[in-house]
Amino acid sequence: PPPPRFGAVRGLPTRTTTMAPTAPKDVAKGIVAVGVASFGIMAVLLYGTTSGSFCSTSMLMDMHMTGFKSIWSEDLYCLYLFNTGWEVKHKAGFMGACALLYMMGVGSELIGRVRRELRLANPGPMTESMKVVHTTLYCAQLCDGYLLMLAAMTYQIEWLSFVIIGLGAGHHFLNVEGPVTDRPDPCCAEIEESQPLLKTNA
């Protein structure tokens, strides 16, 4: 029999990169539904179980220094998000941060899907203009991923949750049938086009 293609596992079928088409309207509905449900639960928890200012404004921080904190932690200091210009001192700002992180998580998966579809639609040699397009999308996905990483590193449990929910929703509705890679972290925007997760040198 002919030798297996590079990256394939002998005896196992090679995973294809073709994903079943899904109506954009259905994808949007699913992403919005997950976001609204998550946002609603967070609003009930924040406004229904905390009173007054949920965090201390005596000292704003860019991350909690003693590990993970939640809205119910007694020693919860208010945080900056990304820079000192965004002081998250009120519940509305906290909810806005959760919504933003969810959309950024979905956005990271969306950019990955766009990059993959562009590669599949143009399998031949790239023109210089297409290289610029791909590089721009790559940089945008990297930027998004590193910002999500910084948000997770604030050690605010709710923000980390919305980062994961956004990435999970984006993956489910946009990339769940795509190729599996061994680098799931969003800050490393590598896309595997043809190689399955298991690799051999055979």
Side-chain angles (χ1 to χ4, degrees), residues 67-86:
F68 282 104
K69 302 290 183 181
S70 74
I71 56 175
W72 301 292
S73 298
E74 295 182 358
D75 56 342
L76 182 66
Y77 289 99
C78 297
L79 293 171
Y80 299 112
L81 182 59
F82 300 139
N83 62 70
T84 57
W86 189 349

Side-chain angles (χ1 to χ4, degrees), residues 30 96 131 173:
K131 288 181 180 179
F173 292 104

Side-chain angles (χ1 to χ4, degrees), residues 126-181:
M126 289 187 187
T127 63
E128 288 302 318
S129 59
M130 283 303 299
K131 288 181 180 179
V132 171
V133 171
H134 280 282
T135 301
T136 300
L137 290 172
Y138 174 79
C139 291
Q141 191 174 14
L142 281 178
C143 181
D144 191 4
Y146 276 112
L147 289 174
L148 289 173
M149 181 185 68
L150 292 174
M153 289 176 62
T154 62
Y155 291 98
Q156 184 68 41
I157 291 176
E158 293 79 12
W159 289 357
L160 173 62
S161 299
F162 271 86
V163 168
I164 295 174
I165 293 171
L167 290 169
H171 178 76
H172 178 80
F173 292 104
L174 294 167
N175 292 316
V176 72
E177 296 183 21
V180 177
T181 73

